[in-house]
Amino acid sequence: MWLMRERATVVWVALVVATCVSTWMFSKDVFSPAVAMLGTFLIAGLKVRFVMLDFMELRAAPTPARAAFEAWIVAVTLLILGFWFATPTG
């Protein structure tokens, strides 16, 4: 299985598994909507990070560029979660 030795393949499989598990897990009534939303966006942020690092080849980018892109992921995730938690539920 030489294909599974490639980092991109392993990351791709992990992204697919994370999508399936999070979709199944958060669609059940096991978690409250707030926990499900938080989990969904945290997993989405993690998936974006892996896509940027392994499929957009930012893993080998200069440190300032990589730091800027990783900070962007954190900022956008926190911004979305902030708006969601700040919005009153009716």
Side-chain angles (χ1 to χ4, degrees):
M1 296 273 304
W2 63 269
L3 192 58
M4 290 302 289
R5 292 185 188 146
E6 297 290 328
R7 180 174 175 82
T9 305
V10 173
V11 169
W12 178 78
V13 170
L15 292 173
V16 170
V17 169
T19 300
C20 293
V21 169
S22 65
T23 300
W24 176 79
M25 191 169 62
F26 294 135
S27 67
K28 306 291 181 190
D29 290 334
V30 175
F31 299 101
S32 69
V35 172
M37 181 62 65
L38 182 66
T40 300
F41 277 101
L42 291 179
I43 290 174
L46 188 65
K47 289 165 59 176
V48 168
R49 180 179 184 270
F50 279 113
V51 167
M52 291 176 86
L53 290 179
D54 294 307
F55 296 104
M56 297 174 71
E57 301 188 12
L58 289 176
R59 187 170 296 280
T63 302
R66 182 176 167 170
F69 281 105
E70 294 204 32
W72 177 82
I73 296 168
V74 172
V76 169
T77 302
L78 291 177
L79 185 68
I80 292 171
L81 288 173
F83 279 125
W84 194 85
F85 282 111
T87 303
T89 58

Coordinates of all heavy atoms in Angstrom, one line a residue:
M1 N 0.8 -1.2 0.0 CA 0.0 0.0 0.0 C 0.9 1.2 0.0 O 0.9 2.0 0.9 CB -0.9 0.0 1.2 CG -1.9 -1.1 1.3 SD -3.5 -0.8 0.4 CE -4.0 0.7 1.1
W2 N 1.6 1.5 -1.1 CA 2.4 2.6 -1.2 C 1.6 3.9 -1.2 O 2.1 5.0 -0.8 CB 3.3 2.5 -2.4 CG 2.5 2.6 -3.7 CD1 2.1 1.5 -4.4 CD2 2.1 3.7 -4.4 NE1 1.4 1.9 -5.5 CE2 1.4 3.2 -5.5 CE3 2.3 5.1 -4.2 CZ2 0.8 4.1 -6.5 CZ3 1.7 5.9 -5.2 CH2 1.0 5.4 -6.3
L3 N 0.4 3.8 -1.6 CA -0.4 5.0 -1.7 C -0.7 5.6 -0.3 O -0.7 6.8 -0.1 CB -1.8 4.7 -2.4 CG -2.6 5.9 -2.8 CD1 -1.8 6.8 -3.7 CD2 -3.9 5.5 -3.5
M4 N -0.8 4.8 0.7 CA -1.1 5.2 2.1 C 0.1 5.8 2.8 O 0.1 6.3 3.9 CB -1.7 4.1 2.9 CG -3.1 3.7 2.6 SD -4.3 5.2 2.6 CE -4.4 5.4 4.4
R5 N 1.3 5.6 2.1 CA 2.5 6.2 2.7 C 2.6 7.7 2.3 O 3.4 8.4 2.9 CB 3.7 5.5 2.2 CG 3.8 4.1 2.7 CD 5.1 3.4 2.3 NE 5.0 2.0 2.6 CZ 5.5 1.0 2.0 NH1 6.2 1.3 0.9 NH2 5.4 -0.2 2.4
E6 N 1.8 8.1 1.3 CA 1.9 9.6 1.0 C 1.1 10.4 2.0 O 0.0 10.0 2.4 CB 1.2 9.7 -0.4 CG 2.0 9.0 -1.5 CD 3.3 9.7 -1.8 OE1 3.5 10.9 -1.7 OE2 4.2 8.9 -2.2
R7 N 1.7 11.5 2.4 CA 1.0 12.3 3.4 C -0.3 12.8 2.9 O -1.3 12.9 3.7 CB 1.9 13.5 3.8 CG 1.3 14.4 4.9 CD 2.2 15.4 5.4 NE 1.5 16.3 6.3 CZ 1.3 16.0 7.5 NH1 1.7 14.9 8.1 NH2 0.6 16.9 8.3
A8 N -0.4 13.2 1.7 CA -1.6 13.8 1.1 C -2.7 12.8 1.2 O -3.9 13.1 1.4 CB -1.4 14.3 -0.3
T9 N -2.4 11.5 0.9 CA -3.5 10.5 1.0 C -4.0 10.3 2.4 O -5.2 10.2 2.6 CB -2.9 9.2 0.4 OG1 -2.4 9.4 -0.9 CG2 -4.0 8.1 0.4
V10 N -3.1 10.3 3.3 CA -3.5 10.1 4.7 C -4.3 11.3 5.2 O -5.3 11.1 5.9 CB -2.2 9.9 5.6 CG1 -2.6 9.9 7.1 CG2 -1.5 8.6 5.2
V11 N -3.9 12.5 4.8 CA -4.7 13.7 5.2 C -6.0 13.6 4.5 O -7.0 13.9 5.2 CB -3.9 14.9 4.8 CG1 -4.8 16.2 5.0 CG2 -2.7 15.1 5.7
W12 N -6.1 13.2 3.3 CA -7.4 13.2 2.6 C -8.3 12.2 3.3 O -9.5 12.4 3.5 CB -7.2 12.8 1.1 CG -8.4 12.6 0.4 CD1 -9.2 13.6 -0.1 CD2 -9.1 11.4 0.1 NE1 -10.3 13.1 -0.7 CE2 -10.3 11.7 -0.6 CE3 -8.8 10.1 0.3 CZ2 -11.2 10.8 -1.1 CZ3 -9.7 9.1 -0.1 CH2 -10.9 9.5 -0.8
V13 N -7.8 11.0 3.6 CA -8.6 10.0 4.3 C -9.1 10.6 5.7 O -10.2 10.4 6.1 CB -7.8 8.7 4.5 CG1 -8.6 7.7 5.5 CG2 -7.6 8.0 3.2
A14 N -8.2 11.2 6.4 CA -8.6 11.8 7.7 C -9.6 12.9 7.5 O -10.6 13.0 8.3 CB -7.3 12.4 8.4
L15 N -9.6 13.7 6.5 CA -10.6 14.7 6.2 C -11.9 14.0 5.9 O -13.0 14.5 6.4 CB -10.2 15.6 5.0 CG -9.0 16.5 5.3 CD1 -8.6 17.2 4.0 CD2 -9.3 17.5 6.4
V16 N -11.9 13.0 5.1 CA -13.2 12.3 4.8 C -13.8 11.7 6.1 O -15.0 11.8 6.3 CB -13.0 11.2 3.7 CG1 -14.2 10.3 3.6 CG2 -12.6 11.8 2.4
V17 N -12.9 11.0 6.9 CA -13.4 10.4 8.2 C -14.0 11.5 9.1 O -15.0 11.4 9.7 CB -12.3 9.6 8.8 CG1 -12.7 9.2 10.2 CG2 -12.0 8.4 8.0
A18 N -13.2 12.7 9.2 CA -13.7 13.8 10.1 C -15.1 14.3 9.6 O -15.9 14.6 10.4 CB -12.7 14.9 10.1
T19 N -15.2 14.4 8.3 CA -16.5 14.8 7.7 C -17.6 13.9 8.1 O -18.7 14.3 8.6 CB -16.4 15.0 6.2 OG1 -15.4 16.0 5.9 CG2 -17.7 15.5 5.6
C20 N -17.4 12.6 7.9 CA -18.4 11.6 8.1 C -18.8 11.5 9.6 O -19.9 11.5 10.0 CB -18.0 10.2 7.6 SG -17.9 10.1 5.9
V21 N -17.7 11.5 10.5 CA -18.0 11.4 11.9 C -18.7 12.6 12.4 O -19.6 12.5 13.2 CB -16.6 11.1 12.6 CG1 -16.8 11.3 14.1 CG2 -16.1 9.7 12.3
S22 N -18.2 13.8 12.0 CA -18.8 15.0 12.6 C -20.3 15.2 12.0 O -21.1 15.6 12.8 CB -18.0 16.2 12.2 OG -18.0 16.4 10.8
T23 N -20.5 14.8 10.8 CA -21.9 14.9 10.3 C -22.8 13.9 11.0 O -23.9 14.3 11.5 CB -21.9 14.5 8.8 OG1 -21.1 15.5 8.1 CG2 -23.3 14.6 8.2
W24 N -22.3 12.7 11.2 CA -23.2 11.7 12.0 C -23.3 12.1 13.4 O -24.4 12.1 14.0 CB -22.5 10.4 11.9 CG -23.3 9.3 12.7 CD1 -24.4 8.7 12.3 CD2 -22.9 8.9 14.0 NE1 -24.8 7.9 13.3 CE2 -23.9 7.9 14.4 CE3 -21.8 9.2 14.8 CZ2 -23.8 7.3 15.6 CZ3 -21.8 8.5 16.0 CH2 -22.8 7.6 16.4
M25 N -22.2 12.5 14.1 CA -22.2 12.8 15.5 C -23.0 14.0 15.8 O -23.8 14.0 16.8 CB -20.8 12.9 16.0 CG -20.6 13.0 17.5 SD -18.9 12.9 18.0 CE -18.2 14.3 17.3
F26 N -22.9 15.1 15.1 CA -23.6 16.3 15.4 C -25.0 16.4 14.9 O -25.7 17.3 15.2 CB -22.7 17.5 14.9 CG -21.4 17.7 15.6 CD1 -20.3 17.9 14.9 CD2 -21.3 17.5 17.0 CE1 -19.0 18.0 15.5 CE2 -20.1 17.6 17.6 CZ -19.0 17.9 16.9
S27 N -25.4 15.4 14.0 CA -26.8 15.5 13.6 C -27.7 14.7 14.5 O -28.9 14.8 14.4 CB -26.9 14.8 12.2 OG -26.6 13.4 12.2
K28 N -27.1 14.0 15.5 CA -27.9 13.3 16.5 C -28.3 14.3 17.6 O -27.7 15.4 17.7 CB -27.2 12.2 17.1 CG -26.7 11.2 16.1 CD -27.8 10.4 15.4 CE -27.2 9.4 14.4 NZ -28.3 8.9 13.6
D29 N -29.2 13.9 18.4 CA -29.7 14.8 19.5 C -28.8 14.6 20.8 O -29.2 14.9 21.9 CB -31.1 14.6 19.9 CG -32.0 15.1 18.8 OD1 -31.6 16.0 18.0 OD2 -33.1 14.6 18.6
V30 N -27.6 14.0 20.6 CA -26.8 13.8 21.7 C -26.2 15.1 22.3 O -26.1 15.2 23.5 CB -25.6 12.8 21.3 CG1 -24.6 12.6 22.5 CG2 -26.1 11.5 20.8
F31 N -25.9 16.0 21.4 CA -25.3 17.3 21.9 C -26.3 18.4 21.8 O -27.2 18.4 20.9 CB -24.1 17.6 21.0 CG -23.0 16.6 21.1 CD1 -22.8 15.6 20.1 CD2 -22.1 16.5 22.2 CE1 -21.9 14.7 20.1 CE2 -21.1 15.6 22.2 CZ -21.0 14.6 21.2
S32 N -26.1 19.4 22.6 CA -26.9 20.6 22.5 C -26.5 21.3 21.2 O -25.4 21.1 20.7 CB -26.7 21.5 23.7 OG -25.4 22.0 23.7
P33 N -27.4 22.2 20.7 CA -27.1 22.9 19.5 C -25.8 23.8 19.6 O -25.0 23.9 18.7 CB -28.3 23.8 19.2 CG -29.4 23.1 19.9 CD -28.8 22.4 21.1
A34 N -25.5 24.3 20.8 CA -24.3 25.1 21.0 C -23.1 24.3 20.9 O -22.1 24.7 20.2 CB -24.4 25.9 22.3
V35 N -23.1 23.1 21.5 CA -21.9 22.2 21.4 C -21.8 21.7 20.0 O -20.6 21.6 19.5 CB -22.1 21.1 22.4 CG1 -21.0 20.0 22.3 CG2 -22.1 21.6 23.9
A36 N -22.8 21.3 19.3 CA -22.8 20.9 18.0 C -22.2 21.9 17.0 O -21.3 21.7 16.2 CB -24.1 20.4 17.5
M37 N -22.6 23.2 17.2 CA -22.1 24.3 16.4 C -20.6 24.5 16.7 O -19.8 24.7 15.8 CB -22.9 25.6 16.7 CG -22.5 26.7 15.9 SD -22.7 26.5 14.1 CE -24.5 26.4 14.0
L38 N -20.3 24.5 18.0 CA -18.9 24.7 18.3 C -18.0 23.6 17.7 O -17.0 23.9 17.1 CB -18.7 24.7 19.8 CG -17.3 25.0 20.4 CD1 -16.9 26.4 20.0 CD2 -17.3 24.8 21.9
G39 N -18.4 22.4 17.9 CA -17.7 21.2 17.3 C -17.6 21.3 15.8 O -16.5 21.0 15.2
T40 N -18.7 21.7 15.1 CA -18.7 21.7 13.7 C -17.7 22.8 13.2 O -16.9 22.5 12.3 CB -20.1 22.1 13.2 OG1 -21.0 21.1 13.6 CG2 -20.1 22.3 11.7
F41 N -17.7 23.9 13.8 CA -16.7 25.0 13.3 C -15.3 24.7 13.7 O -14.4 25.0 13.0 CB -17.2 26.4 13.8 CG -18.2 26.9 12.9 CD1 -19.5 26.9 13.3 CD2 -17.9 27.5 11.7 CE1 -20.5 27.4 12.4 CE2 -18.8 28.0 10.8 CZ -20.2 27.9 11.2
L42 N -15.1 24.1 14.9 CA -13.7 23.7 15.2 C -13.1 22.6 14.3 O -12.0 22.7 13.8 CB -13.6 23.3 16.7 CG -13.9 24.4 17.7 CD1 -13.8 23.8 19.1 CD2 -12.8 25.5 17.6
I43 N -14.0 21.7 14.0 CA -13.5 20.6 13.0 C -13.3 21.3 11.6 O -12.4 20.9 10.9 CB -14.5 19.5 13.0 CG1 -14.4 18.7 14.3 CG2 -14.2 18.5 11.8 CD1 -15.4 17.6 14.5
A44 N -14.2 22.2 11.2 CA -14.1 22.8 9.9 C -12.8 23.6 9.9 O -12.1 23.6 8.9 CB -15.3 23.7 9.7
G45 N -12.5 24.3 11.0 CA -11.2 25.1 11.0 C -10.0 24.2 10.9 O -9.0 24.5 10.2
L46 N -10.1 23.0 11.6 CA -9.0 22.1 11.5 C -8.8 21.5 10.1 O -7.7 21.4 9.6 CB -9.2 20.9 12.5 CG -8.1 20.0 12.7 CD1 -6.9 20.6 13.3 CD2 -8.6 18.8 13.6
K47 N -10.0 21.2 9.5 CA -9.9 20.7 8.1 C -9.3 21.8 7.1 O -8.5 21.4 6.2 CB -11.3 20.3 7.7 CG -11.7 19.0 8.4 CD -13.2 18.7 8.3 CE -13.7 18.6 6.9 NZ -15.1 18.2 6.8
V48 N -9.7 23.0 7.3 CA -9.2 24.1 6.4 C -7.7 24.2 6.6 O -6.9 24.3 5.6 CB -9.9 25.4 6.8 CG1 -9.1 26.6 6.1 CG2 -11.3 25.4 6.3
R49 N -7.2 24.0 7.9 CA -5.8 24.1 8.1 C -5.0 23.0 7.4 O -4.0 23.2 6.7 CB -5.5 24.0 9.6 CG -4.0 24.0 10.0 CD -3.8 23.9 11.5 NE -2.4 24.0 11.8 CZ -1.6 23.0 11.8 NH1 -2.0 21.8 11.6 NH2 -0.3 23.2 12.1
F50 N -5.6 21.8 7.4 CA -4.9 20.7 6.7 C -5.0 20.8 5.2 O -4.0 20.5 4.5 CB -5.5 19.3 7.1 CG -5.0 18.8 8.5 CD1 -5.8 18.7 9.6 CD2 -3.6 18.5 8.6 CE1 -5.3 18.3 10.8 CE2 -3.1 18.0 9.8 CZ -3.9 17.9 10.9
V51 N -6.1 21.4 4.7 CA -6.1 21.6 3.3 C -5.1 22.6 2.9 O -4.4 22.5 1.9 CB -7.6 22.0 2.8 CG1 -7.6 22.6 1.4 CG2 -8.5 20.9 3.0
M52 N -5.0 23.7 3.6 CA -4.0 24.8 3.3 C -2.6 24.2 3.4 O -1.7 24.5 2.5 CB -4.2 26.0 4.2 CG -5.5 26.7 3.9 SD -5.8 28.1 5.0 CE -4.9 29.3 4.2
L53 N -2.3 23.5 4.4 CA -0.9 23.0 4.6 C -0.5 21.9 3.6 O 0.6 21.9 3.1 CB -0.8 22.5 6.1 CG -0.8 23.5 7.2 CD1 -0.6 22.8 8.5 CD2 0.3 24.6 7.0
D54 N -1.4 21.0 3.4 CA -1.1 19.8 2.6 C -1.5 19.8 1.1 O -0.9 19.2 0.3 CB -1.6 18.5 3.2 CG -1.0 18.3 4.6 OD1 0.3 18.3 4.6 OD2 -1.7 18.2 5.6
F55 N -2.5 20.6 0.8 CA -3.0 20.6 -0.6 C -2.7 22.0 -1.3 O -2.7 22.0 -2.5 CB -4.5 20.3 -0.7 CG -4.7 18.9 -0.2 CD1 -5.3 18.6 1.0 CD2 -4.4 17.8 -1.0 CE1 -5.5 17.3 1.4 CE2 -4.6 16.5 -0.6 CZ -5.2 16.3 0.6
M56 N -2.4 23.0 -0.5 CA -2.0 24.3 -1.1 C -0.5 24.5 -0.8 O 0.0 25.6 -1.1 CB -2.8 25.4 -0.4 CG -4.3 25.3 -0.8 SD -5.3 26.5 0.1 CE -4.9 27.9 -0.8
E57 N 0.1 23.5 -0.3 CA 1.6 23.4 -0.1 C 2.1 24.6 0.8 O 3.2 25.1 0.5 CB 2.3 23.4 -1.4 CG 1.8 22.1 -2.2 CD 2.6 21.9 -3.4 OE1 3.7 22.5 -3.6 OE2 2.2 21.0 -4.2
L58 N 1.4 25.0 1.8 CA 1.8 26.0 2.7 C 2.7 25.4 3.8 O 3.3 26.2 4.6 CB 0.6 26.7 3.3 CG -0.1 27.7 2.4 CD1 -1.3 28.3 3.0 CD2 0.8 28.7 1.9
R59 N 2.8 24.1 3.9 CA 3.6 23.5 4.9 C 5.1 23.9 4.8 O 5.8 24.1 5.7 CB 3.5 22.0 4.9 CG 4.2 21.3 6.0 CD 3.8 19.8 6.1 NE 2.4 19.6 6.3 CZ 1.8 19.6 7.6 NH1 2.6 19.9 8.6 NH2 0.6 19.4 7.7
A60 N 5.5 24.1 3.5 CA 6.9 24.5 3.3 C 7.1 25.9 3.0 O 8.1 26.4 2.6 CB 7.4 23.7 2.1
A61 N 6.0 26.7 3.3 CA 6.1 28.2 3.0 C 6.9 28.8 4.1 O 7.2 28.3 5.2 CB 4.7 28.7 3.1
P62 N 7.4 30.0 3.8 CA 8.2 30.8 4.8 C 7.3 31.0 6.0 O 6.1 31.1 5.9 CB 8.5 32.1 4.1 CG 8.4 31.8 2.6 CD 7.4 30.7 2.5
T63 N 8.0 31.0 7.2 CA 7.3 31.1 8.4 C 6.3 32.3 8.5 O 5.2 32.1 9.0 CB 8.3 31.1 9.6 OG1 9.1 30.0 9.5 CG2 7.6 31.2 10.9
P64 N 6.7 33.5 8.1 CA 5.7 34.6 8.2 C 4.4 34.3 7.4 O 3.3 34.6 7.8 CB 6.4 35.8 7.7 CG 7.9 35.4 7.9 CD 8.0 34.0 7.7
A65 N 4.6 33.7 6.2 CA 3.4 33.4 5.3 C 2.5 32.4 6.0 O 1.3 32.5 6.0 CB 3.8 33.0 4.0
R66 N 3.2 31.3 6.5 CA 2.4 30.2 7.1 C 1.7 30.7 8.4 O 0.6 30.4 8.6 CB 3.4 29.1 7.4 CG 2.7 27.9 8.1 CD 3.6 26.8 8.3 NE 3.0 25.8 9.1 CZ 3.4 24.6 9.4 NH1 4.6 24.2 8.8 NH2 2.8 23.8 10.2
A67 N 2.4 31.6 9.1 CA 1.8 32.1 10.4 C 0.6 33.0 10.0 O -0.4 32.9 10.7 CB 2.8 32.9 11.2
A68 N 0.7 33.8 8.9 CA -0.4 34.6 8.5 C -1.6 33.8 8.1 O -2.8 34.1 8.5 CB 0.0 35.5 7.4
F69 N -1.4 32.7 7.4 CA -2.5 31.9 6.9 C -3.1 31.1 8.1 O -4.4 31.0 8.2 CB -2.1 30.9 5.8 CG -2.0 31.6 4.5 CD1 -0.8 31.8 3.9 CD2 -3.1 31.9 3.8 CE1 -0.7 32.4 2.7 CE2 -3.1 32.5 2.6 CZ -1.8 32.8 2.0
E70 N -2.3 30.7 9.0 CA -2.9 29.9 10.2 C -3.6 30.9 11.1 O -4.6 30.6 11.7 CB -1.7 29.2 10.9 CG -1.2 28.1 10.0 CD -0.6 26.9 10.8 OE1 -1.0 26.7 11.9 OE2 0.4 26.3 10.2
A71 N -3.1 32.1 11.2 CA -3.8 33.1 12.1 C -5.1 33.5 11.4 O -6.1 33.7 12.1 CB -2.9 34.4 12.2
W72 N -5.2 33.5 10.1 CA -6.4 33.8 9.4 C -7.5 32.7 9.7 O -8.7 33.0 9.9 CB -6.2 33.8 7.9 CG -7.4 34.0 7.1 CD1 -8.0 35.2 6.8 CD2 -8.2 33.0 6.4 NE1 -9.1 35.0 6.0 CE2 -9.3 33.7 5.8 CE3 -8.1 31.6 6.3 CZ2 -10.2 33.0 5.1 CZ3 -9.0 30.9 5.6 CH2 -10.1 31.6 5.0
I73 N -7.1 31.5 9.7 CA -8.0 30.4 10.1 C -8.6 30.6 11.5 O -9.8 30.5 11.7 CB -7.3 29.0 10.0 CG1 -6.9 28.7 8.6 CG2 -8.2 27.9 10.5 CD1 -5.9 27.5 8.4
V74 N -7.7 30.9 12.4 CA -8.1 31.1 13.8 C -9.1 32.3 13.9 O -10.1 32.3 14.5 CB -6.9 31.2 14.8 CG1 -7.4 31.7 16.1 CG2 -6.1 29.9 14.8
A75 N -8.7 33.4 13.2 CA -9.5 34.6 13.3 C -10.9 34.4 12.7 O -11.9 34.8 13.3 CB -8.7 35.7 12.6
V76 N -10.9 33.8 11.6 CA -12.2 33.6 10.9 C -13.1 32.6 11.7 O -14.3 32.9 11.9 CB -12.1 33.0 9.5 CG1 -13.4 32.6 8.9 CG2 -11.4 34.1 8.6
T77 N -12.5 31.6 12.2 CA -13.3 30.6 13.1 C -13.8 31.3 14.3 O -15.0 31.2 14.7 CB -12.4 29.4 13.5 OG1 -11.9 28.8 12.3 CG2 -13.2 28.4 14.3
L78 N -13.0 32.1 15.0 CA -13.4 32.8 16.2 C -14.5 33.9 15.9 O -15.4 34.1 16.6 CB -12.2 33.4 16.9 CG -11.3 32.4 17.6 CD1 -10.1 33.1 18.2 CD2 -12.0 31.6 18.6
L79 N -14.3 34.5 14.7 CA -15.3 35.6 14.3 C -16.6 34.9 14.1 O -17.7 35.4 14.6 CB -14.8 36.3 13.0 CG -15.6 37.4 12.5 CD1 -15.5 38.6 13.5 CD2 -15.1 37.8 11.2
I80 N -16.7 33.8 13.4 CA -18.0 33.2 13.1 C -18.6 32.7 14.4 O -19.8 32.9 14.6 CB -17.8 32.0 12.1 CG1 -17.4 32.5 10.7 CG2 -19.0 31.1 12.0 CD1 -17.0 31.5 9.7
L81 N -17.8 32.0 15.2 CA -18.3 31.5 16.5 C -18.8 32.7 17.4 O -19.8 32.6 18.1 CB -17.3 30.7 17.2 CG -17.0 29.3 16.6 CD1 -15.9 28.6 17.3 CD2 -18.3 28.5 16.7
G82 N -18.0 33.8 17.4 CA -18.4 35.0 18.1 C -19.8 35.5 17.7 O -20.6 35.8 18.5
F83 N -20.0 35.7 16.4 CA -21.2 36.1 15.9 C -22.4 35.1 16.3 O -23.5 35.5 16.6 CB -21.2 36.3 14.4 CG -20.6 37.6 14.0 CD1 -19.5 37.6 13.1 CD2 -21.1 38.8 14.4 CE1 -19.0 38.8 12.7 CE2 -20.5 40.0 14.0 CZ -19.4 40.0 13.1
W84 N -22.1 33.9 16.2 CA -23.1 32.9 16.5 C -23.5 32.9 17.9 O -24.7 32.9 18.3 CB -22.6 31.5 16.1 CG -23.8 30.5 16.1 CD1 -24.7 30.3 15.1 CD2 -24.2 29.7 17.2 NE1 -25.6 29.3 15.4 CE2 -25.3 29.0 16.7 CE3 -23.8 29.4 18.5 CZ2 -26.0 28.0 17.5 CZ3 -24.4 28.5 19.3 CH2 -25.5 27.8 18.8
F85 N -22.5 33.0 18.8 CA -22.8 33.0 20.3 C -23.4 34.4 20.7 O -24.1 34.4 21.7 CB -21.6 32.6 21.1 CG -21.4 31.1 21.1 CD1 -20.3 30.6 20.4 CD2 -22.2 30.3 21.7 CE1 -20.0 29.2 20.4 CE2 -22.0 28.9 21.7 CZ -20.9 28.4 21.1
A86 N -23.0 35.4 20.0 CA -23.5 36.8 20.4 C -24.9 37.0 19.9 O -25.6 37.9 20.4 CB -22.6 37.8 19.8
T87 N -25.4 36.2 18.9 CA -26.7 36.4 18.4 C -27.7 35.8 19.3 O -27.6 34.6 19.7 CB -26.8 35.8 17.0 OG1 -25.8 36.3 16.1 CG2 -28.2 36.0 16.4
P88 N -28.7 36.6 19.8 CA -29.7 36.0 20.7 C -30.6 35.0 19.9 O -30.9 35.2 18.8 CB -30.5 37.2 21.1 CG -30.2 38.3 20.1 CD -28.9 38.0 19.5
T89 N -30.9 33.9 20.6 CA -31.7 32.9 20.1 C -33.2 33.2 20.4 O -33.5 33.8 21.5 CB -31.4 31.5 20.6 OG1 -31.5 31.5 22.0 CG2 -30.0 31.1 20.2
G90 N -34.0 33.0 19.5 CA -35.4 33.4 19.7 C -36.2 32.2 19.7 O -37.1 31.7 20.0

